């Protein structure tokens, strides 16, 4: 294997290849994580949409089905965040990393680190990367604006070098990746690997029902995969569908009805007590959120569930990276990872062949952040 594919990420996570399967609510379950782990990548279980019992079962299923280590994704605003943290710590012999957006405080991060669990937040802006490292992040995943789900506005080609220049920890590139070219390109930028969501959603092991996957296969225009704030007030990238268009064009009353129905259903799913719901509501109001936005918070998990679990793509929303527009297959995860690695090796070899002579560092076989390697790049970005 090309030595450039052995990076600080593979060393820290203990996986064969620098490829991460990111967390996707309702999608990244034990089966997807096991397939990723067995194929040499590193997978995250998406706990942000799971009850504590479901997460306990999913962790047990991964533990039973493979010997590799894996990750768990959660958010501090989910009602069972504290229980998720304890569950991760109880399984620290196998859970190698946690990922999160709005993350835990420095004390909780220290608890993870003391237990040998790496903290690997996903950020969509430079200032968030700097803050995350100050709080103790071991690895940063940078998600460019083209990425799926909640996303920022800065494209990967701009955000990645900005963050690489600003932090010392390994950086993983996300947002728009699906191929070996992308992996080779990310390594050339200086990233320690790539992380992909949408590409893993569109695999044979994905739990997403066929009717919904067809919508992902059918979309061919990146412009039809837009970031919209209509679901929960925060920019989220989704495939255009009639439901989203109605939500966007509907009046306040329509939005309020959808938000109320979602909040009620989410309360039942999470087992949240009415008291907890009221506390969350009051807390959010104090932080300055508007009441409607607070209620809209439950929209995302509930409306995504309709498409991703119930197979009713026209009655819910379809979070996706723009990359879905260039994907037209549902390969097995092992086939996908194998083809990404072999294409990356070809690209790296082609770049190597352009070099007049090996640098002193590469002749000594030294490895470090790949941004110190003098790879000639034509037409970068
Ligand atoms: C269907 C879907 C659900 C997602 N759910 C989550 C989630 O629960 N937690 C999270 O941190 N990120 C979530 N994301 C973002 C992904 O983890 C990842 O960062 C993003 O998909 C990367 O961009 P890409 O799709 O271009 O590969 C989701 C993305 C998608 C497409």
């Amino acid at each position: 294997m090309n030595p450039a594919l052995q990076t600080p990420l593979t060393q820290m996570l203990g996986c064969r290849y620098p490829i991460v399967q990111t967390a996707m609510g309702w999608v990244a379950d034990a089966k997807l994580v096991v397939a990723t782990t067995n194929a040499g990548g590193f997978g995250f279980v998406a706990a942000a949409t799971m009850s504590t019992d479901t997460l306990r079962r999913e962790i047990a299923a991964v533990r039973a089905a493979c010997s590799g280590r894996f990750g768990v994704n959660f958010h501090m605003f989910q009602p069972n965040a504290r229980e998720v943290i304890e569950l991760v710590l109880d399984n620290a012999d196998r859970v190698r990393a946690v990922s999160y957006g709005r993350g835990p405080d420095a004390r909780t991060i220290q608890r993870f680190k003391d237990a040998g669990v790496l903290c690997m937040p996903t950020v969509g802006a430079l200032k968030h990367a700097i803050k995350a490292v100050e709080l103790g992040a071991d690895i940063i995943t940078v998600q460019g604006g083209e990425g799926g789900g909640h996303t920022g506005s800065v494209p990967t080609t701009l955000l990645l070098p900005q963050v690489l220049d600003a932090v010392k920890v390994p950086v993983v590139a996300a947002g728009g990746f699906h191929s070996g070219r992308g992996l080779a390109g990310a390594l050339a930028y200086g990233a320690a690997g790539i992380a992909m969501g949408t590409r893993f959603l569109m695999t044979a092991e994905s739990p997403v029902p066929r009717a919904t996957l067809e919508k992902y296969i059918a979309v061919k225009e990146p412009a039809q995969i837009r970031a919209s704030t209509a679901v929960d007030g925060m920019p989220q990238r989704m495939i255009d569908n009639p439901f989203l268009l109605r939500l966007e064009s509907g009046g306040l009353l329509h939005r309020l009805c959808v938000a109320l129905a979602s909040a009620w259903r989410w309360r039942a799913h999470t087992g949240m007590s009415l008291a907890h719901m009221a506390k969350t509501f009051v807390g959010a109001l104090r932080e300055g959120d508007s009441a409607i936005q607070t209620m809209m918070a439950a929209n995302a998990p509930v409306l995504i569930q309709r498409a991703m679990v119930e197979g009713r793509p026209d009655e819910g929303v379809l979070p996706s990276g723009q990359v879905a527009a260039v994907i037209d297959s549902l390969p097995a995860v092992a086939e996908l990872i194998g083809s990404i690695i072999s294409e990356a090796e070809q690209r790296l070899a082609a770049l190597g062949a352009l070099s007049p002579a090996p640098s002193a560092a590469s002749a000594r076989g030294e490895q470090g952040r790949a941004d110190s390697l003098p790879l000639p790049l034509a037409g970068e970005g």
Side-chain angles (χ1 to χ4, degrees), residues 24 35 73 93 123 261 270 328 339 368:
M24 289 170 282
N73 170 268
D93 58 325
V123 301
T270 56
D328 56 10
S339 69

Side-chain angles (χ1 to χ4, degrees), residues 284-351:
L285 282 179
R286 274 213 200 99
E287 278 178 29
D289 292 5
S290 71
I292 173 87
Q293 182 156 340
T294 303
M295 280 187 287
M296 281 166 75
N299 269 348
V302 169
L303 301 179
I304 296 169
Q305 183 186 26
R306 277 193 208 152
M308 300 298 167
V309 181
E310 296 166 19
R312 296 188 286 149
D314 295 335
E315 294 161 54
V317 295
L318 306 165
S320 173
Q322 288 188 292
V323 71
V326 299
I327 298 175
D328 56 10
S329 62
L330 302 172
V333 166
E335 192 190 328
L336 171 69
I337 291 183
S339 69
I340 290 176
I341 292 299
S342 85
E343 190 183 41
E345 298 223 67
Q346 282 169 26
R347 296 311 314 148
L348 292 167
L351 286 172

Side-chain angles (χ1 to χ4, degrees), residues 142 154-165 171-174 177 185-187 189-191 193:
V142 163
V154 188
T156 305
T157 48
L158 301 183
L159 186 60
L160 179 59
Q162 268 189 319
V163 174
L164 279 164
D165 284 344
V171 175
V172 180
F177 291 93
L187 294 174
Y189 266 93

Side-chain angles (χ1 to χ4, degrees), residues 6 9 23 69 126 129 147 187 290 340 346 355 359 366:
Q6 297 295 298
L9 185 76
R69 301 186 77 182
L126 174 62
L187 294 174
S290 71
I340 290 176
Q346 282 169 26
S355 295
S359 71
E366 287 176 11

Side-chain angles (χ1 to χ4, degrees), residues 68-117:
R69 301 186 77 182
F70 58 97
V72 172
N73 170 268
F74 70 100
H75 295 293
M76 281 316 282
F77 50 77
Q78 70 189 82
N80 61 343
R82 287 283 149 210
E83 290 160 37
V84 170
I85 290 166
E86 297 311 319
L87 207 46
V88 167
L89 291 169
D90 290 346
N91 286 275
D93 58 325
R94 292 289 303 279
V95 177
R96 179 59 175 146
V98 284
S99 68
Y100 43 82
R102 196 181 298 175
D105 55 19
R107 201 184 72 83
T108 307
I109 288 174
Q110 193 56 48
R111 285 185 73 203
F112 283 130
K113 289 157 86 87
D114 291 345
V117 176

